Each structure stands twice: as C-alpha cells, then as structure tokens.
Amino acid sequence: MAITSTAKIRPRALVRASGGPRYAVALAVDALGTGLLRPFLLLYGVTVLRLSAPVTGVAMTAGIVVGLVCMPAVGRWLDRGARSTVVAASMLVRVLGVALLLATPAGHAWPFATAALFLGIGNQAWPAAHAALVATVAHGRERDTALAAGRALRNAGLGTGALIATACLAGGTTALQALAAVTGVAYLAAATLAWSVHLRADPAAGPAEAGAADAAPAPAPAPAPRMRALLAANVVYVFCLNVPEIALPLVLVTQLHASPVWSAAIFVANTVLVVTLQVPVTVLMSRFSRRSVLAFAGAVLTVSYLGFLAATSLGHGWGAPAVAAVSVVCTLGEIVYAGSATALVTVLAPARALGRTLARFELSTGFGLAVSPAVITALAPHGPAALWGGLAGATLLSAAAVATEKDQGRQPKASGAGPSGSAASTSGALSASS
C-alpha cells in the first residue's frame, strides 16, 4: 500500500539521525578494521598459525554459531536502556579476539578458536546494538534512511579495508600479523568513539512508534511480536548476502570454467552498488509500506535466481557475462531487502522489547548466514536447477509469507516520545554527539 510522505536525503540531518558525527566516524573506523582482517581470517589461520584448512574453517564456523548464543543477553541489555555502551562493547570484545589471535602460538587450534569466538560475538552483537541506537535517535522514515546510510558506510569501509589488505598480502605472514594488529587498534578507537556518544534510552517512556502504513494501532502496550513468518523468511532472504561471495564464484569457476576475474568483478560491483544505491533506493521505497517493500525484495531476488538459472544454461562463453549482468538484479534485491527488513522490525517492536525483538531478528540473520554456505555448496553439485531453482522457490514462498503475515502488538505513536517510544538521553543532549 502506498503512502504519501517520503523521506528526503539531507546529509546533515542524516548524520544526526545516524547517531552524530562521532558515531559515524566510529562506524567507518570499525568497518575499515573489519575489512582488513575478516576476509583473510581463514588465510591467517592457515599461513600464520599453520593450521589445516578444515580445522581453521571449523573453528571460524563454531565462533559464528556460538556467538549467536549471546544475542538474548544483548537484547535484554538493550531493553534496560543501554545503547552506545552495547555498541562499544561489541567492538571491545573484538579487540580481545584480535589480542588472542596475535598471542596464539603456531599449531595451536584452541586459542585460535577462542579468538574466533570473541570475534564472532562482536560481529553478531553489533547489528542489533546499532539498529537499537539508530531507532532511539531517529524517527519514522528518517530512521529507515539512517539505517540504510549506516549499511552503505559499513560496506564502503569493509571494501576499502579489504582492498588495503589485498595490497599488503605480498608481505606474507608478517603482513597478516600487522593487519591483525591494525584491526585491533581500529576496534579500540571505534569503541572509544562509540562510547563517547553516551546515548541511552528510557525503556519506560512509552510504546513503540506506529507507522500508519504498516499496521493498525492498538490501544495499549503489547508483548513483543512473534513475527514467526518474518523470522523464518529472513533466514532464506539472507542467502542473497552470500550469493556474490560463495554461490557465484563456485558456479563460475567449477561449472562455467570462467576466469576468477569474473567473480572478483561481481564482488566489486556488488560493493559499489550497495554503497551508492542503498540510501537512494531506501528513500525511493519509502512511499510504500515496509512490509510490502520487503515482499517486493523477495520477488526481485526470486527473479534474479531464475535469471542465474537461465544464464548458466548458456554454458562457457556467454554464461559468465550473463551471470554478471543478472548479479546486478540480485544486488538490487539485496539493497531493497536490507533497506526494509530491519526498519520493519524496529517499527513492529514495542519500546520495552526493542532489544529482544532485534536480537531475535539478528539470530535469524546469523543462522541464515551460518547455514547458507553449507546449503549452497550442497546444492551446487546437483546442477543449476537444484541450486537456483531451490533458492527461487524458497525465496518466493518467503516473500508470500512476509506479505500475508498479520502485524501484532503495534502501538499508537506516543506524543513527544523518542523513536520506538523511548526517550533518548545523550549525556548533555543530542548536540553532544553531533
């Protein structure tokens, strides 16, 4: 259903809505540091610590999965009003992970697994903490745009960090150790900047914001929404995030026998498109309800998966260029999905359960990201129809579930309350963080 008001891109207002200049710098520094190490953590374990690839991979996967266990505690912490402190903590725990990584002797798997665990906890906790902070600072569609801007900024930092790290890899193990050390310093600096914002929310200030386009208001505060269909659908939706990194390189190299250059080009194009289009597309979609936009994202992703199926049937020669062209459609679906999913959750969540609701959503995201590599690599050997047809069918069903699910527990907008119904305090007002 269309709505009449749309957001506009006003850079200064967008920075304020995203937490202020210092917080924006913290996000950029954190993303840059993450880009320096995270894409090469497996390489660090194999080349610097001399661990086998299977052992390194299992340790990294275990770190991600076990890191998800911390999410309920993160949600409860957020519901007690903490905001910038949780963001800073998610960065500080990664400092500890990097320190353990640097202290791990060669050939020792358990210290590496422990380091991966702390890195995983920080990586899992950060998205929910960031979304809660933005939901406390920004109102309505401005919040959606601020969340989109944060994602664009993070992707820019990750991409820049990865490029710097790639250029430094010629230095061998010494370069990898130096990159890890720089990453730790970046996390520490980002945590200090994030903590200095001193943003808290008053969880007892009132009910959640209700957007008229997304659901009918209820007369009294309600418990956290179940969102069963949305959470289940999100597990399938997030597969799109691993398509450029896992599915397409696998298909291009093993099935189409194309040059790895195609995979690299698609990954770079994905990053550039997300950085440049995330905010404009989110603003453009703000004239429609968030739930409708999220369902539309599923339709776009379904079309892209069917496009990959058709492109791979072209075989060697035209197959690789066709896959690259379809990847643009897939990236657009990813952009629409990312710009609507978290924003919808923040609007559905009552103020007193915002943290727990975001934590549940991030659990579904983390689970989808954890299982998608195994699912993709298991389906790929059975042919393009199994891989792309399976993804298309599951995503289409997910989009239908999102579109038909009824919103529950939505609240009337509290007059004078902050976003998500929480009164925000910034230790000297928002101007202190601007």
Side-chain angles (χ1 to χ4, degrees):
M1 181 176 68
I3 61 178
T4 56
S5 61
T6 58
K8 295 181 180 179
I9 303 176
R10 297 186 295 271
R12 291 185 180 179
L14 185 57
V15 170
R16 289 195 298 271
S18 301
R22 270 183 291 167
Y23 186 69
V25 173
L27 293 186
V29 173
D30 177 75
L32 183 65
T34 302
L36 289 174
L37 181 63
R38 193 164 75 177
F40 307 103
L41 187 57
L42 178 66
L43 190 60
Y44 188 98
V46 172
T47 61
V48 177
L49 302 181
R50 299 190 181 93
L51 302 174
S52 67
V55 168
T56 305
V58 168
M60 291 174 59
T61 302
I64 295 172
V65 174
V66 177
L68 291 172
V69 178
C70 75
M71 291 310 300
V74 171
R76 289 191 294 271
W77 192 6
L78 290 169
D79 284 341
R80 287 197 290 268
R83 292 294 184 265
S84 56
T85 303
V86 186
V87 175
S90 72
M91 297 170 177
L92 282 174
V93 74
R94 284 179 284 175
V95 175
L96 181 57
V98 172
L100 286 172
L101 191 66
L102 292 170
T104 300
H108 290 69
W110 281 108
F112 175 78
T114 305
L117 170 61
F118 283 113
L119 291 170
I121 290 174
N123 290 332
Q124 298 297 334
W126 180 85
H130 167 71
L133 186 147
V134 173
T136 305
V137 175
H139 298 258
R141 292 294 176 165
E142 187 180 57
R143 175 195 304 168
D144 300 27
T145 309
L147 288 169
R151 183 171 191 262
L153 179 61
R154 184 163 181 80
N155 274 268
L158 289 171
T160 303
L163 287 175
I164 294 173
T166 301
C168 295
L169 286 181
T173 57
T174 302
L176 282 171
Q177 289 174 316
L179 288 171
V182 173
T183 297
V185 173
Y187 286 154
L188 183 59
T192 302
L193 286 167
W195 177 81
S196 70
V197 174
H198 297 303
L199 180 69
R200 283 189 56 83
D202 180 2
E209 172 196 358
D214 295 305
R226 294 179 179 178
M227 305 186 306
R228 290 176 179 173
L230 177 59
L231 295 176
N234 187 55
V235 173
V236 177
Y237 269 74
V238 297
F239 274 56
C240 72
L241 302 180
N242 275 330
V243 165
E245 297 184 32
I246 297 174
L248 295 186
L250 184 65
V251 168
L252 287 167
V253 174
T254 64
Q255 297 180 6
L256 297 179
H257 307 290
S259 169
V261 173
W262 283 105
S263 300
I266 289 172
F267 181 79
V268 171
N270 174 270
T271 302
V272 171
L273 288 172
V274 169
V275 171
T276 57
L277 296 182
Q278 185 67 71
V279 173
V281 170
T282 302
V283 171
L284 180 64
M285 293 289 106
S286 66
R287 66 189 65 199
F288 305 101
S289 74
R290 297 171 182 89
R291 186 173 289 280
S292 297
V293 173
L294 185 55
F296 174 69
V300 174
L301 290 171
T302 299
V303 169
S304 73
Y305 296 150
L306 294 176
F308 287 132
L309 177 60
T312 53
S313 68
L314 298 176
H316 184 68
W318 288 104
V323 167
V326 176
S327 71
V328 175
V329 180
C330 186
T331 299
L332 292 175
E334 173 193 336
I335 289 170
V336 177
Y337 155 67
S340 57
T342 304
L344 175 61
V345 173
T346 62
V347 171
L348 291 176
R352 296 178 183 176
L354 176 63
R356 282 168 289 164
T357 305
L358 284 170
R360 290 171 59 206
F361 179 73
E362 292 303 332
L363 271 172
S364 72
T365 299
F367 179 75
L369 289 175
V371 303
S372 57
V375 173
I376 290 171
T377 52
L379 290 175
H382 296 285
L387 174 59
W388 301 117
L391 288 178
T395 305
L396 186 60
L397 288 174
S398 299
V402 168
T404 56
E405 185 179 34
K406 300 297 183 182
D407 295 328
Q408 297 177 352
R410 294 299 307 278
Q411 308 301 324
K413 189 172 182 178
S415 178
S420 287
S422 300
S425 63
T426 58
S427 184
L430 262 181
S431 58
S433 64
S434 296

